[in-house]
Amino acid sequence: MLARELLLAKRHGQTLERVAIDFLVEGMADGRLGDEQLGAFAMAVAIQGMDRTETVALTEAMRDSGRVMQWPGLDGPVLDKHSTGGIGDSTSFLIGPWLACCGAYVPMITGRGLGHTGGTCDKLESIPGYDTAPDPDRLDRIVRELGVAIIGQTSDLAPADRRLYAVRDVTGTVDCLPLIVASILSKKLAEGLDGLVLDVKFGSGAVMTDFEPARELAIALARTASAAGTPTRALLTDMNQGLGRTAGNALEIREIIELLNTPSPTGRLFELSRELSAELLLIGGLDADPAEARDRLDRAWASGAVAERFARMVHALGGPSDLMERPDQHLARAPVEVDLYPSESGRIESIDVRALGLAVIELGGGRRQASDAIDPAVGLSGLARIGDEVDAQRPLLRIHARKESEAERVGEALRRAYRISAAGAEAPALIAERIEV
Ligand code: URA
């Protein structure tokens, strides 16, 4: 086979056979295809699209381009969640240990911040000593012993995606549905999963702001993953306000420690984590109906087992053994903390959540370019919600910064991110739709 002929065929809108896709993806992984050919492939797919069969073949070939984890001998299903990214979205830290307490195994491979959204792996690295890149044997041992390990991307998983993604980034082909689907799923399915739940977000803080394109992505992801042999469902969830009350790496870890230490928490971050976990218990066959799944989750939470499992995972991966009891001793804190008040009083009508994410980057809590170091201490806390009353006594949020001048600079942009009126607006529903294919 000649790569040039296959690229020409795709450029002319022909459907590629599985063997052709396998050949191209092998060439991406072993270097036989040059970057210019990867660019041509991405552009041809972006213009001509791929049908369902091609998308499944591309996903499977990219999944199989590196190591695919195997989990022989476990007494429960191997499960995971993927979120398309947002602000204050720390559900992974609750879902992983929660499922482990309910009989599942969760080898969760997480990403870094992308664009204005935060990354689970960056948040983990705000815990001193935590190893986000354990070797495969250590990962295997921890997952078998504790049922959960949350770590970062490893270079041996889906190497074809790493090359293709870098080329897409510079050729204007990131926002192409089949390429997004294959990219996301190749990495997740390489974990050797029995079930996957997708949290596909829409709204002002999501990568896809509009509902319909997000829905289309959710359906394509769920269909492709299921066709590739991993039963998958998706929830379409609201990102018109931060999910938790904080945005920023160490701040989000503090927030989840506080949640884990609370016997009966409330709020959207907890609620969504519970719903995504319930979906996974159903997909994994651990429960037969949603009420049963929620009941099992509530019992595990109330027993304190979820917090304990999180603490054991942190310690097993090199973090402090007393993080849950003494977070202040271990997590960085910014020297400047300033409350930001609205310029007029009233109720919050809408929030430009993307602007919150950009403010975190501006403060040093995210990257402008891949090589940037992250300041774990900075960010935002006490995020007011849609419908909340704000005035000269009730702030919009608190800014955590290195310098007063930096807090002042982002403060102005942040104030503009909030629309306030006398009546405000109702809080949008957290889960807009459940997709089961
Ligand atoms: N995340 C990924 O891993 N790949 C994409 O293409 C988009 C988001």
Side-chain angles (χ1 to χ4, degrees):
M1 256 181 287
L2 273 180
R4 186 187 56 211
E5 296 305 310
L6 301 177
L7 296 174
L8 193 62
K10 186 77 253 175
R11 186 187 136 206
H12 287 153
Q14 290 172 31
T15 304
L16 295 178
E17 301 280 337
R18 180 175 282 265
V19 284
I21 291 174
D22 285 346
F23 174 81
L24 289 170
V25 173
E26 272 166 32
M28 289 176 202
D30 67 17
R32 263 180 302 134
L33 255 64
D35 280 353
E36 67 287 351
Q37 290 174 305
L38 264 66
F41 174 74
M43 189 59 79
V45 174
I47 292 168
Q48 296 291 358
M50 272 189 155
D51 68 18
R52 276 196 218 172
T53 312
E54 286 176 296
T55 309
V56 174
L58 182 65
T59 302
E60 290 180 343
M62 291 199 354
R63 173 196 66 194
D64 298 340
S65 67
R67 183 165 72 94
V68 178
M69 294 181 187
Q70 311 269 335
W71 300 101
L74 292 182
D75 59 1
V78 181
L79 305 173
D80 198 5
K81 178 250 4 169
H82 175 79
S83 155
T84 56
I87 302 299
D89 177 4
S90 311
T91 60
S92 298
F93 303 116
L94 304 185
I95 293 171
W98 213 342
L99 291 169
C101 291
C102 294
Y105 293 85
V106 188
M108 193 183 273
I109 311 286
T110 64
R112 302 203 172 269
L114 201 63
H116 66 282
T117 65
T120 301
C121 185
D122 296 329
K123 297 172 201 175
L124 283 171
E125 286 178 355
S126 66
I127 303 174
Y130 194 106
D131 180 7
T132 56
D135 63 50
D137 287 347
R138 188 168 178 219
L139 172 67
D140 188 89
R141 205 177 53 247
I142 295 173
V143 170
R144 283 174 190 278
E145 264 174 44
L146 299 180
V148 57
I150 310 178
I151 64 163
Q153 195 69 48
T154 63
S155 56
D156 56 349
L157 294 182
D161 177 62
R162 214 175 11 269
R163 268 197 82 204
L164 185 59
Y165 193 88
V167 168
R168 285 168 58 207
D169 201 23
V170 292
T171 53
T173 51
V174 166
D175 64 342
C176 162
L177 194 71
L179 295 180
I180 294 174
V181 167
S183 171
I184 290 175
L185 291 179
S186 60
K187 289 170 286 200
K188 277 286 153 182
L189 302 189
E191 294 172 6
L193 301 176
D194 299 313
L196 174 67
V197 74
L198 300 157
D199 176 10
V200 179
K201 299 191 179 294
F202 63 92
S204 66
V207 177
M208 286 196 170
T209 50
D210 294 337
F211 181 76
E212 274 310 321
R215 185 170 188 275
E216 205 186 321
L217 175 64
I219 293 170
L221 283 166
R223 266 195 191 135
T224 307
S226 299
T230 304
T232 298
R233 294 181 195 161
L235 297 184
L236 275 152
T237 72
D238 177 73
M239 189 31 75
N240 283 298
Q241 51 187 341
L243 187 60
R245 294 279 185 177
T246 58
N249 298 287
L251 288 164
E252 290 185 50
I253 297 289
R254 278 175 200 278
E255 181 175 15
I256 61 118
I257 291 174
E258 210 177 303
L259 269 179
L260 285 163
N261 283 333
T262 305
S264 314
T266 53
R268 292 163 85 92
L269 173 55
F270 177 78
E271 215 181 296
L272 182 57
S273 305
R274 181 171 174 263
E275 286 306 306
L276 291 165
S277 299
E279 285 297 335
L280 280 167
L281 293 182
L282 297 170
I283 298 169
L286 286 163
D287 286 299
D289 76 75
E292 233 176 66
R294 290 189 193 106
D295 189 49
R296 183 197 289 263
L297 290 163
D298 292 345
R299 278 185 281 116
W301 190 281
S303 74
V306 185
E308 193 205 335
R309 197 64 65 103
F310 176 79
R312 285 173 66 196
M313 177 193 74
V314 167
H315 190 47
L317 281 156
S321 58
D322 59 348
L323 183 69
M324 304 300 281
E325 296 79 28
R326 277 176 281 281
D328 284 337
Q329 273 189 10
H330 302 291
L331 298 172
R333 184 161 214 135
V336 175
E337 292 186 24
V338 195
D339 285 336
L340 182 75
Y341 292 93
S343 39
E344 54 184 325
S345 48
R347 295 181 105 97
I348 298 178
E349 194 173 296
S350 67
I351 305 169
D352 174 2
V353 182
R354 183 185 158 83
L356 308 190
L358 294 176
V360 175
I361 296 175
E362 191 70 26
L363 289 165
R367 295 182 189 81
R368 290 197 181 103
Q369 43 200 24
S371 56
D372 284 354
I374 277 191
D375 182 344
V378 299
L380 313 172
S381 68
L383 298 174
R385 307 201 156 286
I386 293 174
D388 282 358
E389 271 191 60
V390 287
D391 53 33
Q393 279 77 45
R394 286 173 286 192
L396 297 166
L397 51 85
R398 175 170 292 185
I399 302 171
H400 299 247
R402 278 284 145 203
K403 296 187 190 147
E404 301 233 349
S405 57
E406 288 167 2
E408 263 169 42
R409 198 172 63 230
V410 298
E412 268 322 297
L414 283 168
R415 222 178 247 121
R416 283 197 299 274
Y418 288 80
R419 209 160 69 214
I420 292 162
S421 63
E426 288 285 304
L430 178 57
I431 299 172
E433 194 174 333
R434 185 169 164 275
I435 308 270
E436 191 174 348
V437 292

